[in-house]
Amino acid sequence: MSIHMDMQEQSIMSLKEYMAQMFSQYPAIENTWYTMDRQEQALLAYQKVEEVLVAVREGETSLLYPSLNDWSNVQYHPAYGLLPVENPRMSKITGPKLDNVVMVLEIMLGLIESGTRTTKRDIFYQHFCDFSNQRELDSLVGVIVAMMQIPRLLLGVVATSKGLVVGDLLYTNSEDVVVDCSLAVGGDSVPQDVMEMRDVVTTAKFVLVVEKDAVFQRLLEEGVMGGHMPSMIMITGKGVPDLASRQLVYMLSSHLGIPVMIMTDCDPYGLDICMMYKYGSLAMSWAAESLAVPTSVWLGLLPSDISRLSIMPSSMKPHSAQDCKKMVDLSRREYVMEDPLLRGELEVLWEMGRKAEIQQVAEERERGFLAQQFLPRKIAECGWV
């Protein structure tokens, strides 16, 4: 049974009106870095990095940065997500770690000066004797961004984008190439330099963010762009989203005013990823740019969907010890405690004692269930949290 298009469009319009109300009351936080031209950006970034390097050369034996895994260093705002506090607890960089930070800062200084960019992976392989693994370097780059308060892109360091985007989106990238995401059969790579996208053209009514690549590809195979729903852009961060995927979702929402709906598995880690898009993450709260989209909604698979879809316990896996730990952690977060609907869904998930994967639910139903029935009906009924 096809779901009436006008009902879906009315639901999306109600979400768009809610967004407009939020944006009028709480305008997007202006990022001064992106009000400058490229020359000004480069000059200021160079000066700030050079200042730190000079201090170390002149005898400074430690550097301070905001502790990145400390919940007391962030504050929750319903319209902006997780924000840095004014007087954070600080961590200290000394010894061999300081030597590595200085080495990375010197690489960044050269990149800024030459106007070039490199990936974290390239830096690691060029200096693999200095780092125990890639994760160590990634962590240092995060520390430097928090300490310097400079967007990572302006430091010349990018991460290889793992996210995909498809649908009603046309733009020109930083290399002057026009990219038409409607032509990508399995999705185009999310650009590494989202903030430098220009001439963006779209008539999309909403953005659908999908947790997993497998579900993203399943939806494409089922014809999700085939007219069962209003015009859309679909994005996947392939699990825990990278910076570029989150930047793209943020840009489409805050700059273009497009409503965002998030689709994850019905498990604690799916909810955590949803909250990452919606309110931000602890680790990235000190990034020098906004990433949270508090007006986004969790479309499914909701714990309350399980009974409606008559999903049998035999199709679900029991919660692991790690799942239970994650649910306890989520229940203590301020944005969960202050949202009765979200708290209610978490309680249902806990009481079920089991978790469900979208892929498994789709496998047990007729082909096209997700794209032609589940999603259109959920949107038409405003079946989100």
Side-chain angles (χ1 to χ4, degrees), residues 12 14 20 48 142 155 183 215 222 249-250 261 272-273 294 373:
I12 293 169
S14 70
K48 288 170 78 77
L155 291 168
L183 302 177
V215 177
E222 291 188 1
V249 175
Y250 175 82
M261 304 179 194
D272 193 25
I273 286 171
Q373 294 184 47

Side-chain angles (χ1 to χ4, degrees), residues 263-266 299-313 315-316 352 356-366 369-370 373-378 381 383:
M263 188 178 179
T264 72
D265 284 337
C266 179
L299 187 62
L301 186 64
L302 304 179
S304 58
D305 289 332
I306 302 302
S307 59
R308 296 192 198 104
L309 294 171
S310 301
I311 299 172
M312 302 303 293
S315 300
M316 303 164 65
M352 284 195 312
E357 293 187 358
I358 296 170
Q359 190 80 350
Q360 180 64 30
V361 173
E363 290 291 345
E364 296 178 354
R365 282 163 172 76
E366 65 272 23
F369 169 76
L370 286 179
Q373 294 184 47
F374 178 73
L375 284 176
R377 183 173 288 112
K378 288 281 287 184
E381 296 172 354

